[in-house]
Amino acid sequence: MKKPIKTQTVGMPPIHGQMVERLSRGLRPLPAIAPPWAQWSLWAVMAAFFTGMALHWFPLRADLRENLALLPFDGLLMCLFGGALLAAWGAVESSVPAEEPKGRRKILAALGLGCGAFILFLLFLPWQMGHYLDHTSRLPCFVVVLVSGSLIWFPLAFLLSKNAPLNPARAGFGAGVAAFLMGSAIITLHCDSRDLVHILVEHFLPVLAYSYLVSWAGIFWLSRWKRKFSGRKQGPPI
C-alpha cells in the first residue's frame, strides 16, 4: 500500500507579510452598487427638474399648440425624449460590470430614435429653406442645446462615476446622448424655425458632437476607480 505523498509548504519571507500589511492598510469594503433601475429613476427625476428649469429660462415657442396637433411633431418629441431616457438606461448599464452589452444596444437604439426624429421632421413636417424666426432667447440654438444638456449630463455622470465602468468612454458617450437628446427636445419646444439647415446643424448634429466630446471627459472622470490599477489609455466610444 502506497503512502500518501506529503506536500511541503514553503514559507514566505518576512518582507512579504510586511508588504501585504502595508498595501492593505486603510482598505475598507466598497459599498454595493445600486441597481441600474434605481440609478436611472433617480436621474430621471433630476432630469425632469432641470428640464423644467430650462423651459422656464427658454420659453415655449409661440406656435407650440398648433404643432402639438400634428402627429409627426408629437412623434418627433417622443423620439427625442424616449431616446434620452433609453440612452440614460444604457449609460447606467454600460457602467455596471456584466451589463455592458445590454447598455451598448440601448445607446445605439437611442441614436436610432434621434435619427428617426429628424426623419419625421424631414418627411412629414412643413419645412423650407431660409425660414428662420427669431425666438426670445438671444443664445444660438446649439448653445441652448449645450447649456440645457450639460445641466442634465452632470447628474448622470456623477451617478456613473460611483459605478465601475470597464469602458468609461462608452458610458460617458451614452450619458451625453441622453443629455443632449433632452437638450434637442428642449430647443424644439423653444425654437419655431422651420429652416432645414438650421434644424440639422443647430438642433440635431450638436447631439453627436457634444456626446463625442463628453465621452472623452468620461475617460478621465469615470475611470478614476481604475487608474490606480492601470495606466492604459482608452479609445473612442462605441
Side-chain angles (χ1 to χ4, degrees):
M1 191 173 178
K2 294 184 178 180
K3 296 181 179 179
I5 301 175
K6 295 182 179 180
T7 57
Q8 184 179 1
T9 303
V10 180
M12 301 299 294
I15 187 65
H16 177 269
Q18 297 173 8
M19 292 179 64
V20 171
E21 182 181 357
R22 181 181 301 175
L23 290 173
S24 60
R25 188 178 302 155
L27 293 180
R28 294 179 178 83
L30 293 175
I33 295 177
W37 65 266
Q39 299 185 48
W40 178 86
S41 300
L42 177 59
W43 171 82
V45 172
M46 292 188 289
F49 173 75
F50 286 118
T51 299
M53 288 180 56
L55 291 176
H56 176 73
W57 293 333
F58 308 111
L60 298 175
R61 55 195 291 173
D63 61 348
L64 180 60
R65 179 173 298 180
E66 292 81 0
N67 281 278
L68 288 176
L70 303 174
L71 187 60
F73 186 82
D74 297 336
L76 184 151
L77 289 177
M78 290 177 63
C79 285
L80 292 176
F81 282 115
L85 296 173
L86 186 62
W89 191 292
V92 173
E93 287 185 335
S94 295
S95 68
V96 177
E99 300 287 340
E100 298 94 338
K102 293 189 292 185
R104 181 176 184 271
R105 289 192 292 268
K106 288 182 175 64
I107 294 172
L108 291 175
L111 289 172
L113 286 175
C115 293
F118 180 72
I119 292 173
L120 285 173
F121 172 81
L122 182 65
L123 298 181
F124 300 106
L125 291 174
W127 58 268
Q128 51 186 315
M129 304 298 292
H131 183 274
Y132 184 83
L133 300 178
D134 292 332
H135 39 77
T136 55
S137 172
R138 296 182 180 180
L139 296 175
C141 289
F142 68 89
V143 176
V144 175
V145 175
L146 175 63
V147 172
S148 58
S150 297
L151 287 174
I152 298 169
W153 182 81
F154 278 108
L156 182 55
F158 176 78
L159 292 174
L160 300 184
S161 67
K162 301 299 181 182
N163 298 336
L166 299 179
N167 191 332
R170 180 183 299 165
F173 181 77
V177 172
F180 296 115
L181 276 178
M182 198 77 76
S184 181
I186 291 170
I187 195 59
T188 299
L189 292 172
H190 171 67
C191 175
D192 52 7
S193 173
R194 296 176 183 173
D195 179 67
L196 177 62
V197 175
H198 171 79
I199 297 297
L200 175 63
V201 173
E202 297 203 34
H203 289 204
F204 284 95
L205 288 183
V207 175
L208 289 176
Y210 297 150
S211 299
Y212 189 79
L213 289 177
V214 297
S215 72
W216 288 100
I219 293 176
F220 300 100
W221 189 7
L222 304 182
S223 62
R224 292 178 298 173
W225 69 275
K226 60 190 293 188
R227 283 191 200 137
K228 62 179 70 174
F229 305 110
S230 172
R232 211 172 74 186
K233 294 183 179 180
Q234 300 233 352
I238 306 292

